Amino acid sequence: MAETELYKLTETMCGEIDQWIAKFPPERKQSALLASLHIVQKETGWLSTAQLNAVADYLGLAYVTVYEVATFYSMYDLQPVGRHKVHLCNNISCMLNGSEKLSEHVKAKLGVEFGATTTDGKFTLKHAECLAACAGAPAAQIDGVHYENLTPEKIDKILDNLD
Amino acid sequence: MIELEIDGKKVEAEPGNMIIQVADAMGVYIPRFCYHKKLSIAANCRMCLVEVEKIGKPVPACATPISQGMRVFTKSEKALAAQRAVMEFLLINHPLDCPICDQGGECELQDLALGYGDDLSRYTEGKRAVDDENLGSLIATDMTRCIHCTRCVRFGTEVAGMRELGTVWRGEHMEIKTFVGKSLTSEVSGNIIDLCPVGALTSKPYRYTARAWELQQRYTIAPHDCLGSHLNVHVRRNEVMRVVPRESEAINETWLSDRDRFSYTGLKSEDRLNQPMIKQSGHWQSVSWEVALEYMLEALKKVIAVQGPEQAAGIISPSATLEESYLFQRLLRGLGCPNIDHRLRQIDFADQDSMPLYPGLKVKIADLEQQRAVLIIGANVRQEQPLLALRLRKANLKGAQIFCINPIDYQVNFNLNQKLICHPTLLPEMLAGIIKAILVKQAIEAPTTIAEQLKSIQVTEQQQAIAEALSVNQPSTILLGAIAQQHPQAATLRSLASLLAELTGASVNLLTEGANTAGAWLAGAVPHRGAVGLTQDKLGQTIAELFAEPRKAYVLFNVEPAQDCANPKQVTKALQQADLVVALTPYNTPYLQQHADVLLPIAHHAETSGTYVNAEGEWQSFAAVVSAPEQVKPGWKVLRVLGNLADLADFNYTASTEIRDELQGMLANHSLKVAKQVQPRINLAYTKHPLTRITEWPMYRVDGLVRRALPLQQAASHDSVGIRINSKMIEQLQLAAGGLATVEQAGESVTLPVILDERIPQGCALIAGGFAETEVLAESFGAITIHV
Ligand code: SF4
Ligand code: FES
Ligand code: FES
C-alpha cells in the first residue's frame, strides 16, 4: 500500500490515539477514528491525504473508510485553512433570527465567500449545520468556541480580538 | 413459523425474515433499489415502502421484520403513493439520459420509473452533476446517474473483502468514490456492474456496442478455473457482446470473477488461425482440411511405425472439453501411442498410481462455507479460483480458522489465523511439522514412511496451533493449490496432506488447473490410465518425461507450449528437434510458425459444444454460443474425422453428447480400484539452490484466451512481468528496484525489470510464467542467477 507521499504520526499523536483505542474492544478500533482525526488535525488545522492514510494504517482501516468519515463531518478540513476557523450556523432557528444578515456582514468584513480563506491566511469562513444552540440563535462556532445571540457588532468584536 | 398476510394472501415464514424476503418467495414484487439478497440491508433508497396494518407510516419492506398476524399491503393506495413519492425524489437529481445510457432497456430505475414515475417532473431547479471516476479498464462510470443505493460499496466491504469504493461527502454532495481516484484491483470487481441498479457503473469493454434488446442470451460454463461457473453469454449476430453470471447457488451464486466475465474480449484476437496450414520445406501454405488431416495422419503414422510408438506424444490443455480429451486419447492410443498428458505445469508424478479417479474437491464448493478450519497449502486462492476465495471468506466470517503454508505472503480477503511463509523448498517440511505436532500430542507412533525424516524437525508453536485447530474444529479441510501441485515435491505434499487428513479428520482437496482437469482424468488424458480409470496394457510416459527425453512427434491440443508448460526451455528444445509437430490450435503464433509443421484451426470453448467436469465432479454440458469463423472446426469434430480417417473403430459420433453419454455409460459400469493404497511417497530431502526461481501463472496469464483479453491485461498492468524480489535480496545482489537485471537459467538469459516485492522470501525471486518475456526460461522452481 505504499503511497508516494508519506506521513508518520508523531509519538504524541500515537500516544493520544492509543488512549482512545483503549476505550473500545480490540476489534473495534474503528471507533477511535473520529478522535484520531481530531488529534492529527491539531497539527496544521487540516488533514492531508498522507495524514489520512497514516491514520488508516495505524487503525488498520481501509483508506476509503477514513476518507468517508473525514469528508462526512464538517469539523475536518481537507484543505489548508487559516489560523482561525469561523463557522456560522445557517439552519432554521438562526436563519429566523438574522443569520443571513450576519453572514453577509462577515463575508463583507473578511472579503471571502463561504468555504474560503482570507488571503492573509488568518480566517477560514465556513457554514455550520445546527450547532444545537437554537435558543441563542443566531450562533457561531469560532475556533471550537460557541458564541450566541450574535449581531454584526458582536461578531466584529470577537473577530477583531483574534490575532 | 409466523403466519402473516401479504396482499390478502396468507403465508407462513421463519421469524427474522423481512417482508421483502417473504414477498419475493411468494412472487409478490416489491420495487427496490438498495436491497439485494446477497448483501446486508441498508434500507437507504426507500423504494420498497409498503403499508402495514396498524402502523401509521409506510415501512420499508426490506428492513421490516415479519411478525405474527401482520397484514401487508404492497399495492394499496397508501403504499403506491409512498412509492411514487420516493421515485419522484430519486429522479430529482437523476440526469434522465436513458437514450445515451448503456443501462437503457435493462435498468431497474428505468423500469420502476415507468411504473411509478410521473410523465413530467415538478422539479425545475438545477440538477447536480458528479465527476466520473476512472475505475480502470473494466468498469465505466457515469456517476451523475448514481442513486446512492450503496450496493457497490457493500459488495466491496462484505463480499469481496476489499473496501475500494466508499460514500464520501454527505447529503446532497454525497458521491460514490474510490479513495482519491484509484482503479479497482479486486479480482471480482465486475460484479458491481450487475449490482448497480442504474447506469452509473457499466461494463467498459461493452460500452456503446449493443442494446439489451438486440442480444440473445445463451448459456455456457466458464472456461478458466475448476469451479465451472455458470455463464450467460449475450450474443448479437454471432458475436459475443458480453458475459454475465447465471445464478447457481451451488457454484457461483450470483457472482462471477473478472476473468470469467471479461475473457470473451480475447475471442477476436488478431492472431486467430482460420485455415488449416502445413509447412513444407520451410514454407507455410493454407490447405484444405482433407489435405491437412491426411498429411498429418500419414506423418504421425510414419513416426509411430518407423521410430516406435514411444516416439510420439500428445499434450492437451486441461481446459479442453471432456469430449475433446476423450477423443484425443482414443485417437493416439488407437494409433498405438500411450504418451498422453494434460498436466502442463506439473513436474512430480511419483504418486500418480495412487491418485483417485480424478483429483478435485471432496467438499462441495458451497459447503466450504461450513468449514470450521481450513489449511491452504501452496495456493494463491484469490487468483486461482476467485469465487472459491469468497466462500472461504464467508466461512471465515462465520468463525472458521484459516491457515496457510505458502512461499509468498499472498494478500487474501479473509483473516489468516496463522501463516507459515517459507522458502518453497521448505513447504514439505512445514507441513511435516504439523504432522509431527499431532503425533507427539497424541503419542502416536509415526508411520515408517516418515518416522526417520520427522526426527530432525522442530515443531513450532504455529504448527502446533494449526494441528490443534484442524483436529478440534470439524469439519476441517486442507486445500492444495497450484503451487503445491506444480512443486518439485508435489507427490510428497499430497502424501503429507493425506496423512495429515487421516490424523485430523480433515478432507484433502485439490484445486486443479484449468477448467477441466477432472474431465481430463475421467477421459483418460493421462499416460497411466485410460478413460474412467481403466488400466492400460501399454503405459505411457508423463509430460515431464515426454519433454525431458525429446520425442520425434508431438501433437498439441490448444496448448501454447512455451507459455503453458512447466519448463519452456525444455519444451522448445524438444519441439525443435522433433520431425513432426502438429498443433490443433485457435491461434497462429510466431512460435507455432517456427516450431510446428501442421496447424489445425480449432474452435474456442464458446464455439463448441462439450462438457466440463468441475473440481467437485459436476458434469456440466453446454452448447456452442456462437459458430466458429471460416474454416475453424470444433475440436471434437476434428478428432472424430481423424479417428475415421485412421480407420479406428467406433468413431462415428454425430453429436458431442454421444461422446459424453458413452463415457457416462463406461463410468456406470466401472469403478476404479486404486491398486492398493500405494505407500505414501514422502521424501523431505531437497536441494536448495543459492537462488531459486518461484514461478506462478498470474490470474490473467493462465491460458491463451485470457492472455489475449486486452481489458484484463490492462487491469493487471500493476502485476506486470519482472523479477519480483525483496529489498534485502536487492541489496545482496546489488540490483536496483525499477532498474533492469538479467536472469540466467539453464544457459538462457532474459533481461527484465526488477520489482521490489517484500512478499517474496529470502533466497528467491518470483518470475512469472505465461509471458512471452519469460518463455525462454526453464523449470518453475529451478536455480537461477541474477545480475545487472
Ligand atoms: S454506483 Fe450504482 S450501485 Fe453504487 S451506489 Fe450508485 S447506484 Fe448504487
Ligand atoms: S439552527 Fe443554528 S443553532 Fe440550531
Ligand atoms: S430496498 Fe428497501 S429501502 Fe431500499
Side-chain angles (χ1 to χ4, degrees):
Chain A
M1 313 237 149
E3 285 296 304
T4 36
E5 222 188 326
L6 280 179
Y7 177 85
K8 211 169 165 306
L9 301 178
T10 65
E11 244 168 72
T12 343
M13 287 178 189
C14 294
E16 285 181 49
I17 294 176
D18 287 342
Q19 287 178 12
W20 280 94
I21 293 177
K23 294 180 204 242
F24 307 103
E27 72 283 2
R28 295 237 143 257
K29 272 194 184 172
Q30 181 164 2
S31 306
L33 178 54
L34 288 180
S36 306
L37 290 175
H38 279 303
I39 291 164
V40 177
Q41 185 170 258
K42 273 192 300 194
E43 188 180 59
T44 54
W46 66 286
L47 292 162
S48 67
T49 305
Q51 282 175 318
L52 295 179
N53 290 352
V55 171
D57 286 339
Y58 196 76
L59 297 177
L61 301 173
Y63 292 161
V64 74
T65 307
V66 175
Y67 193 48
E68 283 178 331
V69 169
T71 53
F72 186 89
Y73 292 102
S74 56
M75 299 92 87
Y76 303 119
D77 284 290
L78 303 182
Q79 253 120 81
V81 290
R83 289 198 301 287
H84 303 287
K85 288 188 207 172
V86 181
H87 292 238
L88 293 186
C89 176
N90 65 354
N91 280 188
I92 187 77
S93 309
C94 294
M95 216 186 255
L96 292 170
N97 279 306
S99 68
E100 278 169 321
K101 207 175 104 206
L102 194 69
S103 298
E104 287 312 313
H105 174 78
V106 177
K107 277 203 302 195
K109 178 179 170 71
L110 300 182
V112 289
E113 289 297 317
F114 280 93
T117 301
T118 54
T119 39
D120 60 359
K122 189 167 175 187
F123 294 105
T124 297
L125 181 60
K126 288 177 85 178
H127 277 307
E129 305 303 327
C130 176
L131 290 166
C134 303
Q141 193 184 45
I142 302 172
D143 291 340
V145 181
H146 268 62
Y147 297 92
E148 301 181 359
N149 302 316
L150 289 170
T151 58
E153 299 71 41
K154 263 189 169 171
I155 203 158
D156 276 352
K157 235 166 112 197
I158 300 165
L159 295 180
D160 292 344
N161 279 336
L162 295 171
D163 58 6
Chain B
M1 280 294 194
I2 284 180
E3 202 175 289
L4 68 157
E5 196 188 294
I6 298 183
D7 290 348
K9 275 180 246 144
K10 289 231 178 330
V11 59
E12 284 198 340
E14 294 286 347
N17 269 314
M18 301 296 163
I19 296 173
I20 207 168
Q21 291 168 322
V22 181
D24 278 353
M26 293 166 69
V28 172
Y29 182 73
I30 299 174
R32 84 277 314 265
F33 291 112
C34 69
Y35 173 77
H36 189 277
K37 62 180 176 185
K38 293 279 175 187
L39 301 174
S40 68
I41 288 165
N44 58 25
C45 76
R46 300 279 138 176
M47 191 63 218
C48 66
L49 290 176
V50 293
E51 181 182 355
V52 174
E53 192 181 60
K54 299 204 194 84
I55 301 182
K57 290 201 284 183
V59 296
C62 69
T64 307
I66 54 168
S67 59
Q68 184 62 40
M70 191 179 229
R71 295 184 67 206
V72 181
F73 304 94
T74 70
K75 292 175 187 66
S76 66
E77 225 168 276
K78 195 166 164 187
L80 286 177
Q83 291 162 2
R84 285 208 183 93
V86 170
M87 177 52 77
E88 186 170 13
F89 272 106
L90 282 172
L91 292 182
I92 276 182
N93 269 319
H94 190 81
L96 302 175
D97 56 347
C98 308
I100 54 152
C101 175
D102 248 9
Q103 194 89 350
E106 51 180 359
C107 173
E108 293 173 58
L109 186 66
Q110 201 178 35
D111 294 349
L112 291 183
L114 192 70
Y116 301 85
D118 247 324
D119 306 355
L120 272 180
S121 174
R122 289 188 290 169
Y123 183 79
T124 50
E125 287 79 357
K127 291 187 180 229
R128 73 175 207 151
V130 180
D131 286 343
D132 292 335
E133 287 273 284
N134 183 0
L135 298 182
S137 55
L138 304 179
I139 298 167
T141 64
D142 292 273
M143 297 317 287
T144 303
R145 298 180 188 143
C146 170
I147 56 161
H148 304 148
C149 70
T150 71
R151 279 186 185 176
C152 56
V153 177
R154 282 175 283 148
F155 175 80
T157 313
E158 296 162 13
V159 181
M162 274 189 101
R163 222 168 174 300
E164 295 189 291
L165 288 171
T167 43
V168 307
W169 308 106
R170 72 173 178 203
E172 223 220 333
H173 304 286
M174 181 167 138
E175 290 178 21
I176 300 291
K177 275 180 113 59
T178 53
F179 179 65
V180 215
K182 288 226 171 96
S183 309
L184 299 185
T185 58
S186 163
E187 63 290 343
V188 291
S189 66
N191 291 298
I192 60 178
I193 298 170
D194 303 333
L195 286 172
C196 183
V198 301
L201 305 173
T202 51
S203 163
K204 208 176 246 183
Y206 168 75
R207 193 170 175 84
Y208 301 146
T209 59
R211 280 303 199 179
W213 53 86
E214 303 174 296
L215 302 173
Q216 284 179 316
Q217 175 159 294
R218 300 197 181 133
Y219 166 68
T220 190
I221 297 296
H224 303 292
D225 67 31
C226 63
L227 302 185
S229 295
H230 292 204
L231 307 181
N232 275 330
V233 179
H234 291 169
V235 175
R236 185 185 61 186
R237 296 194 287 275
N238 202 36
E239 188 182 348
V240 175
M241 303 308 293
R242 66 173 173 188
V243 168
V244 296
R246 173 174 174 126
E247 194 172 340
S248 154
E249 243 347 82
I251 298 174
N252 52 300
E253 304 176 77
T254 52
W255 315 128
L256 220 49
S257 64
D258 287 356
R259 184 168 58 195
D260 289 341
R261 183 186 297 269
F262 293 109
S263 71
Y264 78 89
T265 54
L267 283 173
K268 286 194 299 185
S269 64
E270 278 175 8
D271 61 356
R272 192 74 203 260
L273 175 67
N274 287 316
Q275 291 241 313
M277 296 178 84
I278 55 179
K279 182 159 70 181
Q280 273 175 325
S281 34
H283 291 291
W284 281 101
Q285 44 183 299
S286 298
V287 293
S288 68
W289 270 103
E290 291 74 28
V291 172
L293 294 182
E294 292 278 2
Y295 178 84
M296 157 214 170
L297 206 55
E298 280 320 305
L300 182 61
K301 278 181 166 163
K302 197 170 131 204
V303 170
I304 293 175
V306 178
Q307 321 258 3
E310 69 290 344
Q311 277 303 324
I315 308 296
I316 185 164
S317 156
S319 295
T321 65
L322 180 77
E323 293 79 358
E324 290 164 342
S325 309
Y326 178 61
L327 294 193
F328 186 74
Q329 65 88 17
R330 275 198 63 202
L331 176 72
L332 285 165
R333 288 203 163 101
L335 294 170
C337 164
N339 292 330
I340 298 143
D341 216 335
H342 71 280
R343 298 167 292 183
L344 306 182
R345 290 170 203 156
Q346 300 180 36
I347 42 183
D348 184 13
F349 305 104
D351 61 342
Q352 67 176 6
D353 289 321
S354 52
M355 287 296 259
L357 183 56
Y358 59 86
L361 299 172
K362 301 263 176 54
V363 179
K364 290 276 173 210
I365 294 165
D367 291 342
L368 281 170
E369 288 174 25
Q370 304 335 320
Q371 303 300 309
R372 307 287 305 144
V374 179
L375 173 61
I376 298 167
I377 304 167
N380 185 357
V381 259
R382 265 184 59 192
Q383 293 221 354
E384 289 168 29
Q385 294 85 18
L387 297 187
L388 189 124
L390 298 189
R391 298 279 188 174
L392 292 180
R393 176 174 160 79
K394 282 209 235 173
N396 189 223
L397 290 173
K398 287 188 212 158
Q401 300 191 24
I402 306 189
F403 310 93
C404 75
I405 306 180
N406 261 334
I408 295 174
D409 190 359
Y410 291 120
Q411 207 194 358
V412 287
N413 42 5
F414 40 80
N415 287 322
L416 284 169
N417 289 58
Q418 301 277 356
K419 47 184 177 186
L420 307 180
I421 307 299
C422 62
H423 194 283
T425 50
L426 295 178
L427 288 179
E429 220 174 276
M430 279 288 173
L431 187 50
I434 302 176
I435 293 177
K436 185 166 177 182
I438 300 184
L439 294 173
V440 172
K441 173 114 198 265
Q442 303 183 355
I444 306 174
E445 213 167 298
T448 47
T449 42
I450 187 179
E452 208 37 52
Q453 305 186 64
L454 281 184
K455 280 201 181 126
S456 58
I457 292 181
Q458 299 286 333
V459 176
T460 64
E461 256 172 51
Q462 284 180 307
Q463 286 163 324
Q464 233 143 21
I466 298 174
E468 184 75 14
L470 286 177
S471 334
V472 174
N473 304 312
Q474 296 291 334
S476 62
T477 194
I478 301 171
L479 301 173
L480 289 143
I483 291 178
Q485 292 168 80
Q486 292 159 9
H487 196 272
Q489 286 160 291
T492 293
L493 285 169
R494 284 188 286 258
S495 305
L496 287 170
S498 307
L499 185 57
L500 179 61
E502 259 169 58
L503 291 167
T504 54
S507 58
V508 184
N509 297 276
L510 300 183
L511 302 172
T512 50
E513 282 166 43
N516 195 34
T517 286
W521 280 79
L522 282 163
V526 281
H528 62 300
R529 288 181 192 162
V532 303
L534 288 169
T535 39
Q536 298 296 300
D537 303 334
K538 267 169 64 183
L539 293 188
Q541 290 189 296
T542 65
I543 185 167
E545 295 160 319
L546 293 174
F547 285 122
E549 301 146 27
R551 310 296 150 129
K552 287 290 162 220
Y554 289 94
V555 182
L556 307 169
F557 191 101
N558 206 353
V559 174
E560 295 196 86
Q563 294 190 24
D564 280 334
C565 297
N567 190 335
K569 179 184 169 184
Q570 202 177 60
V571 170
T572 305
K573 257 179 84 182
L575 297 182
Q576 259 161 0
Q577 61 75 54
D579 294 341
L580 175 69
V581 176
V582 179
L584 291 91
T585 169
Y587 310 112
N588 183 4
T589 63
Y591 184 93
L592 288 176
Q593 291 264 343
Q594 194 185 338
H595 298 291
D597 304 289
V598 180
L599 295 178
L600 303 176
I602 53 164
H604 277 296
H605 130 279
E607 300 157 351
T608 184
S609 60
T611 304
Y612 283 151
V613 182
N614 79 357
E616 58 180 28
E618 204 60 50
W619 293 45
Q620 308 194 102
S621 297
F622 47 86
V625 296
V626 288
S627 57
E630 302 187 30
Q631 299 280 320
V632 178
K633 299 268 179 270
W636 70 269
K637 288 192 179 169
V638 176
L639 293 166
R640 176 194 62 186
V641 175
L642 280 169
N644 284 326
L645 276 179
D647 281 331
L648 298 178
D650 304 326
F651 252 97
N652 293 319
Y653 308 97
T654 52
S656 66
T657 45
E658 287 173 19
I659 309 172
R660 178 200 62 196
D661 296 345
E662 178 174 319
L663 260 169
Q664 237 154 18
M666 287 168 76
L667 193 59
N669 297 321
H670 173 80
S671 68
L672 172 80
K673 286 173 206 71
V674 175
K676 65 184 158 51
Q677 181 55 43
V678 189
Q679 281 290 325
R681 178 192 170 279
I682 295 173
N683 181 7
L684 298 182
Y686 58 84
T687 30
K688 190 164 175 179
H689 312 299
L691 186 57
T692 303
R693 173 181 177 195
I694 300 178
T695 306
E696 62 169 19
W697 271 260
M699 137 168 95
Y700 300 147
R701 304 302 301 180
V702 291
D703 57 45
L705 186 60
V706 273
R707 286 194 287 262
R708 286 169 177 78
L710 288 183
L712 289 177
Q713 296 310 318
Q714 287 157 5
S717 55
H718 58 280
D719 206 11
S720 59
V721 63
I723 304 168
R724 296 186 169 265
I725 190 161
N726 72 31
S727 54
K728 252 172 127 182
M729 293 292 299
I730 289 187
E731 205 174 305
Q732 209 171 306
L733 297 169
Q734 299 178 327
L735 308 173
L740 292 175
T742 302
V743 192
E744 285 192 38
Q745 187 178 23
E748 298 288 342
S749 66
V750 277
T751 302
L752 296 169
V754 177
I755 303 172
L756 172 66
D757 192 335
E758 299 293 10
R759 303 171 309 162
I760 314 299
Q762 272 304 102
C764 299
L766 169 63
I767 302 165
F771 286 97
E773 289 88 335
T774 57
E775 68 179 25
V776 299
L777 295 177
E779 311 117 279
S780 300
F781 293 88
I784 46 171
T785 57
I786 301 177
H787 55 84
V788 186

